[in-house]
Amino acid sequence: MAGVQTAVALREQGRHGRIRLLGAEPHPPYDRPPLSKAVLLGKAEGSAFEVDFASLDIEVELGVEATGLRAADHQLDTMRGPVDYDVLVIATGAEPVRLPGSEDVPGVHLLRTLDDAQRLRPLLVEQREIVAVGAGWIGAELATAAREAGCEVTVVEAADRPLAGAVPAEVAAHMAGWYADAGARLLTGARVAALEEGAVVLADGTRLPADAIVVGIGARPATGWLTGSGAELAPDRSIVTDERLRTSLPDVYAVGDCASFPSARYGERLLVHHWDNALQGPKTVAANIVHGEGVEEGEGVYDPVPYFWSEQFGRFVQYAGHHSAADELVWRGDPAGAAWTVCWLRGGVLVALLAVGRPRDLAQGRKLIERGAVLDRGKVADAGVPLKSAVV
């Protein structure tokens, strides 16, 4: 997404000259969200972007993996040899975290690429027994698809709740029951001791039979290939960029899942592993490349309100903002029901919200976060009052 959108945005904003889009995978560029939904369930064969690269004069080169970068020479090293550049945009994304010792175990799967989804799809069609390791967003979406296909599903989570790294315990507590309601089994506080062909072995000795084991325990920036390049990396291995998405190297930008950026809005550096970030960031990169210091005010600085969504267990879950610095949590609606929202405030200012089945809350709340609006807590807590009407 980030690479394709950058190339398209460059043309749309008036960049002339050669544009080459290099990708390590053999497939034409595709969208990832359908992989855990329509593609996995066999409702779609793929999710290729509907972009006419030829008419945009964008050269797409597949199966070209980046192996190194020599910024002083303005050269990118690849499996097919060096590539010269005037300006380089790194959009290598993220790679899934693997469980140690799982690499050579038959029947262990990841769900990140089109090939991953296509390998898993027959197992769902055959209604096999699936064990997912990790109850994050991917684990929940996989469990949703597997149950829809008629599979027996067990989800194993080392933390004491699902979405432990994403939302507070008091919020996640109301989401744990979704698994059982859908006929899936959720085991929390369950540490994996070993993966075997046909089984997951837990630390307490429990052995869970599995025709397929799907590991979804997170992702990290795909930046290992930059070792020795001089590019500054953050402790989380993301490429450090400034507010214009420029890296520490001359004429090199980074965007999407592989890059972190400073947010004036939240007062910290953010690494956002979500689709919307890979859609919006390229517009900033293109503006800075095309217009340089002459970029229009506001166009060249990247400080978005992070946004993502997830479809799980018959629910549409949306999140906007960043809640780590919030000092108050306010509920809208009954979390035991089908539709509710959680709002996070900091000094009365809305900084984040999570909406379950309340898309209007999300749409209004996202705009209020962008404005830095101060809200009336009492009106926020009244689910019958539109969020936009809670502004002080």
Side-chain angles (χ1 to χ4, degrees):
M1 168 62 85
V4 167
Q5 292 299 326
T6 299
V8 172
L10 283 167
R11 284 291 187 237
E12 290 178 341
Q13 296 192 37
R15 176 74 174 189
H16 301 294
R18 192 179 188 189
I19 295 178
R20 302 171 70 181
L21 181 62
L22 312 182
E25 293 187 56
H27 309 289
Y30 59 86
D31 208 3
R32 294 192 189 278
L35 300 185
S36 60
K37 306 172 184 72
V39 175
L40 192 59
L41 288 169
K43 297 178 181 179
E45 285 303 311
S47 54
F49 290 114
E50 295 183 0
V51 176
D52 188 343
F53 294 106
S55 68
L56 292 172
D57 194 22
I58 295 171
E59 302 172 34
V60 180
E61 302 177 34
L62 306 177
V64 182
E65 182 178 354
T67 58
L69 173 59
R70 290 173 285 125
D73 300 326
H74 276 60
Q75 281 195 331
L76 175 75
D77 290 323
T78 76
M79 297 293 286
R80 295 187 184 177
V83 175
D84 295 324
Y85 66 84
D86 294 315
V87 178
L88 176 69
V89 180
I90 301 174
T92 46
E95 54 196 8
V97 176
R98 298 175 180 268
L99 273 176
S102 66
E103 290 83 355
D104 299 321
V105 179
V108 175
H109 299 259
L110 300 168
L111 184 51
R112 180 73 183 181
T113 68
L114 178 60
D115 288 337
D116 292 337
Q118 290 177 340
R119 280 190 289 264
L120 266 171
R121 186 163 63 186
L123 299 171
L124 268 62
V125 171
E126 296 166 11
Q127 300 185 334
R128 297 297 186 91
E129 193 163 6
I130 309 292
V131 173
V133 180
W137 300 112
I138 286 294
E141 292 187 0
L142 169 73
T144 298
R147 285 299 299 142
E148 184 177 333
C151 300
E152 292 295 319
V153 181
T154 300
V155 180
V156 176
E157 172 57 53
D160 61 356
R161 62 188 188 276
L163 297 173
V167 297
E170 58 191 304
V171 178
H174 296 285
M175 305 167 89
W178 296 355
Y179 288 79
D181 292 345
R185 181 185 181 194
L186 173 64
L187 302 178
T188 57
R191 189 174 63 83
V192 174
L195 299 183
E196 302 175 352
E197 183 174 3
V200 175
V201 181
L202 303 182
D204 64 2
T206 302
R207 192 171 186 275
L208 304 173
D211 295 308
I213 302 164
V214 185
V215 178
I217 57 174
R220 62 168 61 95
T223 56
W225 64 278
L226 287 168
T227 299
S229 69
E232 182 183 358
L233 301 182
D236 58 16
R237 304 298 294 168
S238 65
I239 302 169
V240 172
T241 72
D242 66 7
E243 72 281 357
R244 295 178 181 273
L245 298 180
R246 296 174 296 199
T247 73
S248 61
L249 301 174
D251 302 317
V252 179
Y253 294 75
V255 66
D257 291 4
C258 66
S260 59
F261 56 90
S263 171
R265 187 190 310 277
Y266 293 106
E268 61 182 286
R269 178 167 290 277
L270 299 182
L271 172 61
V272 181
H273 278 184
H274 293 297
W275 184 91
D276 192 66
N277 179 52
L279 175 67
Q280 303 299 336
K283 299 174 186 176
T284 298
V285 169
N288 283 298
I289 291 173
V290 174
H291 303 293
E293 296 302 320
V295 67
E296 292 185 20
E297 185 176 354
E299 291 296 317
V301 173
Y302 191 60
D303 194 6
V305 173
Y307 166 75
F308 72 90
W309 79 97
S310 176
E311 297 176 73
Q312 49 186 267
F313 309 115
R315 295 167 174 85
F316 187 44
V317 183
Q318 296 171 283
Y319 178 96
H322 183 64
H323 68 265
S324 66
D327 53 33
E328 187 176 12
L329 184 155
V330 182
W331 292 91
R332 283 171 61 80
D334 181 2
W340 46 274
T341 297
V342 177
C343 294
W344 284 272
L345 307 178
R346 183 176 63 208
V349 176
L350 183 66
V351 295
L353 80 160
L354 181 141
V356 178
R358 291 180 65 96
R360 184 171 297 176
D361 276 0
L362 190 288
Q364 294 181 11
R366 190 176 183 184
K367 293 178 181 177
L368 296 176
I369 296 171
E370 290 174 349
R371 285 168 47 190
V374 178
L375 305 185
D376 180 302
R377 187 196 181 285
K379 291 181 179 179
V380 171
D382 186 342
V385 175
L387 266 181
K388 65 182 180 181
S389 299
V391 177
V392 174

